Amino acid sequence: MTQPRRLGDTVRFAAGGVMIVSLMGLGCTKTSEKSKAESIQPAKVEKLPVETDLSRITLTEDAERRLGITTASVVERAVSRRRTFGGQATVPAGKSILVSTPIAGVVAQTDASGIPTPGTDVKAGQALLSLMPLLSVERDVPTPAEQVQLAGTRANLMAAQTVAAGDVERGMAEVEAAKIALDRAKQLFADRAGARRGVDDAEATLNIAQSTLDAAKERNAQLTKLLGMLDVPSSEEEPTPLSITTPIGGLVNQMNVSVGQTVAAGATLFEVVNFDTLWIRVPVFVDLLSAVQTSEPARLVSLSGDDLSAVPAIPVAAPPTADATSSSADLYYQVDNRELGLRPGQRIGVEVPMSASEQSLIVPVGSILYDIYGNTWVYARTSDRQYERRRVALRFVDGEDAVLRSGPAIGTPVVVDGAAELFGTEFGAGK
């Protein structure tokens, strides 16, 4: 009796089991359709047989749009490696003028504003102060001591004027020679027989020669005016004050006198420095001089790393200087300081080309990816919405460009924007 009950219970359990299975089968039909719709992934990762570390990523059109992927082609061009050195701004020769008094006198101001203080911006030919000559005004006839002083002053002025006239003649000859050299350099550059650097050097030489000539003319004119004043016979009237002007424009760096001060002939009155053009002195270790391309322009960078390449640093011929204590020799570069606003003595970084240019593969620096071992990779676009990770050998970074030793073929499109997202998709860290 107990055995049939067990058999009946089993039959009923089996029958119930069949019913449950049939109900589950009905439910799975609807669930499978929903799972099939959700099984479509936005990205599919396929392992390539070439290397286990490489993968091909195929994106859907919607996933590619959401990632905002942009590409850039691999190019090849000549590049040279650069190295950053510390430079120091200096005032070039001819851009700093010391003005001295030609005769003894008393310092006076030219207007109500007074004598300019150091740091004041002045223009070329501007009168900074006046000088009242020390001549007797009580008698028509000077005393013997005054006559001796006047004769000595006239002799000094005549000698100074002779030198100034010679400087003017020499300056005119130098300007003419600089113009001829500039025309020759331009013609050679137009005929593709010369370099652009030759034209730049000729223009710089012409500017320096013209500045020297202008200063010599100004000194000659002042001395001529002084001689004319000394030739006027003395009278009971007050002597005419002598205006002291600055030959160049710039900033007053030093003012060595004050109103009412008595100065002797030849005493230094003030110094004016022009900061429109500065030289950058770059000390380089002597063993690296042979590797530096001294004829190529350099790039300026601030100490914080900001790129200042918009202002070129042109190499100039300067007196050779070196420092034995630091085993360094100096290179000099000329920069336009009107936009930089550098001060003499200020430190600034200079990227100097260190080797001859050679052909190298170039990709945007934003396309380079690093794995945990320090290896460098890029994602190459192989077909529509398909990307493969390629190994590259990075030489160095030059601004926004990454210079490669080896990498994909020229013209291969590599991913720039969205490269990190593809890297995360491949290794499971992306969304």
Side-chain angles (χ1 to χ4, degrees):
M1 296 296 292
T2 56
Q3 188 173 359
R5 280 199 302 269
R6 291 177 182 174
L7 181 59
D9 292 340
T10 303
V11 172
R12 286 194 300 270
F13 178 77
V18 173
M19 184 181 298
I20 292 173
V21 171
S22 62
L23 291 175
M24 292 179 60
L26 293 176
C28 289
T29 304
K30 297 181 180 180
T31 306
S32 61
E33 294 177 357
K34 182 177 179 180
S35 301
K36 183 177 182 181
E38 295 178 349
S39 63
I40 300 177
Q41 299 295 331
K44 181 176 65 174
V45 179
E46 300 178 13
K47 293 293 183 180
L48 296 180
V50 179
E51 185 176 355
T52 57
D53 293 338
L54 301 181
S55 301
R56 178 186 293 119
I57 300 177
T58 303
L59 299 179
T60 63
E61 184 176 354
D62 180 64
E64 188 176 46
R65 177 184 56 80
R66 286 189 290 106
L67 292 178
I69 291 179
T70 61
T71 60
S73 299
V74 179
V75 298
E76 183 182 32
R77 66 168 180 266
V79 294
S80 59
R81 188 159 192 168
R82 296 177 178 270
R83 183 168 179 174
T84 302
F85 293 93
Q88 183 179 10
T90 59
V91 179
K95 296 298 182 179
S96 177
I97 297 294
L98 286 172
V99 178
S100 304
T101 173
I103 59 175
V106 179
V107 178
Q109 60 189 32
T110 56
D111 50 28
S113 61
I115 298 178
T117 57
T120 305
D121 191 5
V122 295
K123 298 180 180 179
Q126 178 180 344
L128 302 189
L129 51 86
S130 61
L131 190 67
M132 188 69 67
L134 288 178
L135 297 177
S136 176
V137 298
E138 289 84 4
R139 298 173 301 274
D140 293 336
V141 180
T143 63
E146 290 174 344
Q147 292 179 1
V148 172
Q149 182 180 5
L150 185 62
T153 301
R154 183 180 288 108
N156 292 335
L157 288 177
M158 292 179 64
Q161 186 189 26
T162 302
V163 175
D167 292 341
V168 171
E169 295 295 332
R170 183 179 61 184
M172 295 175 62
E174 290 177 353
V175 169
E176 292 297 328
K179 289 181 179 180
I180 295 174
L182 178 60
D183 294 338
R184 185 184 300 112
K186 288 182 177 180
Q187 185 62 39
L188 290 174
F189 181 74
D191 296 340
R192 296 184 178 180
R196 180 64 189 179
R197 179 177 178 273
V199 178
D200 296 336
D201 290 345
E203 289 180 349
T205 304
L206 177 59
N207 292 335
I208 295 175
Q210 187 64 47
S211 299
T212 305
L213 176 60
D214 294 340
K217 288 182 177 179
E218 184 67 23
R219 289 194 298 271
N220 188 30
Q222 290 181 358
L223 293 173
T224 302
K225 184 178 179 181
L226 284 174
L227 282 174
M229 293 174 59
L230 292 180
D231 291 337
V232 177
S234 62
S235 62
E236 295 183 356
E237 299 179 356
E238 289 289 337
T240 304
L242 174 63
S243 296
I244 306 298
T245 60
T246 170
I248 63 173
L251 293 178
V252 178
N253 191 38
Q254 294 180 4
M255 181 61 68
N256 301 327
V257 295
S258 59
V259 176
Q261 179 179 346
T262 302
V263 293
T268 301
L269 298 177
F270 56 84
E271 180 187 14
V272 177
V273 180
N274 188 288
F275 295 151
D276 291 344
T277 301
L278 289 181
W279 284 359
I280 307 297
R281 183 179 66 88
V282 183
V284 179
F285 184 58
V286 290
D287 287 349
L288 296 178
L289 286 177
S290 59
V292 175
Q293 301 298 309
T294 56
S295 61
E296 296 296 328
R299 295 178 183 176
L300 299 181
V301 292
S302 66
L303 297 183
S304 60
D306 296 335
D307 186 12
L308 302 177
S309 58
V311 181
I314 308 300
V316 294
T321 57
D323 186 3
T325 58
S326 61
S327 301
S328 63
D330 298 329
L331 301 178
Y332 288 88
Y333 296 89
Q334 180 174 295
V335 297
D336 188 349
N337 193 43
R338 287 173 292 184
E339 296 182 4
L340 293 175
L342 299 177
R343 300 183 179 184
Q346 182 175 342
R347 303 286 294 182
I348 189 170
V350 182
E351 288 187 354
V352 178
M354 291 299 296
S355 59
S357 60
E358 59 183 39
Q359 297 292 328
S360 299
L361 298 177
I362 306 295
V363 297
V365 68
S367 64
I368 301 295
L369 297 169
Y370 297 85
D371 61 15
I372 60 175
Y373 304 105
N375 299 321
T376 50
W377 307 84
V378 295
Y379 278 98
R381 185 171 186 171
T382 57
S383 62
D384 190 19
R385 299 195 304 276
Q386 281 193 353
Y387 304 91
E388 292 182 4
R389 182 161 50 90
R390 303 282 181 84
R391 188 188 300 271
V392 295
L394 180 65
R395 292 181 56 197
F396 59 91
V397 175
D398 185 12
E400 297 297 326
D401 297 331
V403 182
L404 306 180
R405 183 175 290 104
S406 62
I410 300 174
T412 302
V414 296
V415 177
V416 182
D417 295 334
E421 286 76 8
L422 291 179
F423 199 67
T425 301
E426 179 180 348
F427 292 98
K431 295 182 178 180

mmCIF file of all heavy atoms in Angstrom, residues 42 56 131 151 163 183 218 225 248 343 369 400 402 411 425:
data_model
loop_
_atom_site.group_PDB
_atom_site.id
_atom_site.type_symbol
_atom_site.label_atom_id
_atom_site.label_comp_id
_atom_site.label_asym_id
_atom_site.label_seq_id
_atom_site.Cartn_x
_atom_site.Cartn_y
_atom_site.Cartn_z
ATOM 1 N N PRO A 42 27.402 48.733 -27.956
ATOM 2 C CA PRO A 42 27.902 49.846 -28.778
ATOM 3 C C PRO A 42 29.304 49.626 -29.294
ATOM 4 O O PRO A 42 29.718 50.295 -30.230
ATOM 5 C CB PRO A 42 27.857 51.039 -27.810
ATOM 6 C CG PRO A 42 27.952 50.419 -26.456
ATOM 7 C CD PRO A 42 27.217 49.111 -26.555
ATOM 8 N N ARG A 56 41.265 45.020 -32.113
ATOM 9 C CA ARG A 56 40.520 45.840 -33.068
ATOM 10 C C ARG A 56 39.191 46.203 -32.413
ATOM 11 O O ARG A 56 38.479 45.334 -31.904
ATOM 12 C CB ARG A 56 40.278 45.095 -34.379
ATOM 13 C CG ARG A 56 39.452 45.917 -35.369
ATOM 14 C CD ARG A 56 39.084 45.118 -36.602
ATOM 15 N NE ARG A 56 40.268 44.803 -37.388
ATOM 16 C CZ ARG A 56 40.681 43.576 -37.648
ATOM 17 N NH1 ARG A 56 40.004 42.536 -37.149
ATOM 18 N NH2 ARG A 56 41.760 43.365 -38.372
ATOM 19 N N LEU A 131 71.484 123.495 -18.366
ATOM 20 C CA LEU A 131 72.736 123.773 -17.675
ATOM 21 C C LEU A 131 73.054 125.256 -17.816
ATOM 22 O O LEU A 131 73.142 125.787 -18.942
ATOM 23 C CB LEU A 131 73.858 122.911 -18.257
ATOM 24 C CG LEU A 131 75.186 122.899 -17.504
ATOM 25 C CD1 LEU A 131 75.013 122.225 -16.155
ATOM 26 C CD2 LEU A 131 76.245 122.169 -18.329
ATOM 27 N N ALA A 151 88.902 129.591 -22.607
ATOM 28 C CA ALA A 151 89.762 129.058 -23.668
ATOM 29 C C ALA A 151 89.862 127.545 -23.576
ATOM 30 O O ALA A 151 89.829 126.828 -24.597
ATOM 31 C CB ALA A 151 91.148 129.705 -23.576
ATOM 32 N N VAL A 163 86.008 115.115 -33.129
ATOM 33 C CA VAL A 163 85.734 113.678 -32.978
ATOM 34 C C VAL A 163 84.308 113.354 -33.413
ATOM 35 O O VAL A 163 84.050 112.352 -34.088
ATOM 36 C CB VAL A 163 85.981 113.246 -31.524
ATOM 37 C CG1 VAL A 163 85.586 111.785 -31.327
ATOM 38 C CG2 VAL A 163 87.439 113.443 -31.146
ATOM 39 N N ASP A 183 71.194 95.000 -49.612
ATOM 40 C CA ASP A 183 70.710 94.788 -50.981
ATOM 41 C C ASP A 183 71.284 93.514 -51.577
ATOM 42 O O ASP A 183 70.584 92.747 -52.257
ATOM 43 C CB ASP A 183 71.075 95.988 -51.850
ATOM 44 C CG ASP A 183 70.350 97.263 -51.421
ATOM 45 O OD1 ASP A 183 69.276 97.135 -50.758
ATOM 46 O OD2 ASP A 183 70.828 98.354 -51.754
ATOM 47 N N GLU A 218 73.594 113.921 -33.471
ATOM 48 C CA GLU A 218 73.057 114.693 -32.359
ATOM 49 C C GLU A 218 74.186 115.301 -31.517
ATOM 50 O O GLU A 218 74.128 116.463 -31.119
ATOM 51 C CB GLU A 218 72.178 113.783 -31.494
ATOM 52 C CG GLU A 218 71.480 114.495 -30.345
ATOM 53 C CD GLU A 218 70.443 115.490 -30.817
ATOM 54 O OE1 GLU A 218 69.947 115.343 -31.950
ATOM 55 O OE2 GLU A 218 70.141 116.417 -30.044
ATOM 56 N N LYS A 225 76.427 123.939 -31.458
ATOM 57 C CA LYS A 225 75.637 124.965 -30.773
ATOM 58 C C LYS A 225 76.401 125.562 -29.603
ATOM 59 O O LYS A 225 76.367 126.789 -29.365
ATOM 60 C CB LYS A 225 74.324 124.359 -30.302
ATOM 61 C CG LYS A 225 73.376 125.346 -29.648
ATOM 62 C CD LYS A 225 72.078 124.660 -29.260
ATOM 63 C CE LYS A 225 71.131 125.648 -28.581
ATOM 64 N NZ LYS A 225 69.846 124.996 -28.174
ATOM 65 N N ILE A 248 68.847 109.187 -27.723
ATOM 66 C CA ILE A 248 67.989 108.046 -28.072
ATOM 67 C C ILE A 248 66.763 108.057 -27.172
ATOM 68 O O ILE A 248 66.745 108.706 -26.117
ATOM 69 C CB ILE A 248 68.739 106.704 -27.922
ATOM 70 C CG1 ILE A 248 69.150 106.485 -26.458
ATOM 71 C CG2 ILE A 248 69.925 106.640 -28.855
ATOM 72 C CD1 ILE A 248 69.741 105.111 -26.183
ATOM 73 N N ARG A 343 63.275 92.752 -18.863
ATOM 74 C CA ARG A 343 64.157 93.725 -18.238
ATOM 75 C C ARG A 343 65.578 93.198 -18.253
ATOM 76 O O ARG A 343 65.798 91.985 -18.200
ATOM 77 C CB ARG A 343 63.723 94.013 -16.803
ATOM 78 C CG ARG A 343 62.308 94.582 -16.689
ATOM 79 C CD ARG A 343 61.967 94.901 -15.250
ATOM 80 N NE ARG A 343 60.618 95.460 -15.124
ATOM 81 C CZ ARG A 343 60.094 95.890 -13.988
ATOM 82 N NH1 ARG A 343 60.806 95.813 -12.868
ATOM 83 N NH2 ARG A 343 58.875 96.386 -13.961
ATOM 84 N N LEU A 369 49.270 57.444 -26.247
ATOM 85 C CA LEU A 369 48.767 56.800 -25.033
ATOM 86 C C LEU A 369 49.893 55.998 -24.387
ATOM 87 O O LEU A 369 50.749 55.436 -25.081
ATOM 88 C CB LEU A 369 47.584 55.878 -25.345
ATOM 89 C CG LEU A 369 46.332 56.549 -25.919
ATOM 90 C CD1 LEU A 369 45.375 55.491 -26.423
ATOM 91 C CD2 LEU A 369 45.669 57.426 -24.878
ATOM 92 N N GLU A 400 53.191 70.871 -29.938
ATOM 93 C CA GLU A 400 51.994 70.064 -30.123
ATOM 94 C C GLU A 400 52.257 68.823 -30.963
ATOM 95 O O GLU A 400 51.317 68.089 -31.273
ATOM 96 C CB GLU A 400 50.893 70.907 -30.783
ATOM 97 C CG GLU A 400 50.421 72.087 -29.955
ATOM 98 C CD GLU A 400 49.782 71.642 -28.652
ATOM 99 O OE1 GLU A 400 49.139 70.574 -28.647
ATOM 100 O OE2 GLU A 400 49.928 72.352 -27.643
ATOM 101 N N ALA A 402 54.335 65.153 -31.689
ATOM 102 C CA ALA A 402 55.089 64.043 -31.122
ATOM 103 C C ALA A 402 55.955 63.448 -32.228
ATOM 104 O O ALA A 402 55.430 63.011 -33.260
ATOM 105 C CB ALA A 402 54.152 62.980 -30.543
ATOM 106 N N GLY A 411 50.469 58.818 -43.735
ATOM 107 C CA GLY A 411 49.101 58.956 -44.213
ATOM 108 C C GLY A 411 48.079 58.181 -43.413
ATOM 109 O O GLY A 411 46.876 58.334 -43.647
ATOM 110 N N THR A 425 37.758 51.565 -23.351
ATOM 111 C CA THR A 425 36.832 50.566 -23.886
ATOM 112 C C THR A 425 37.516 49.230 -24.072
ATOM 113 O O THR A 425 36.953 48.175 -23.765
ATOM 114 C CB THR A 425 36.249 51.074 -25.212
ATOM 115 O OG1 THR A 425 35.572 52.299 -24.987
ATOM 116 C CG2 THR A 425 35.307 50.049 -25.797
#
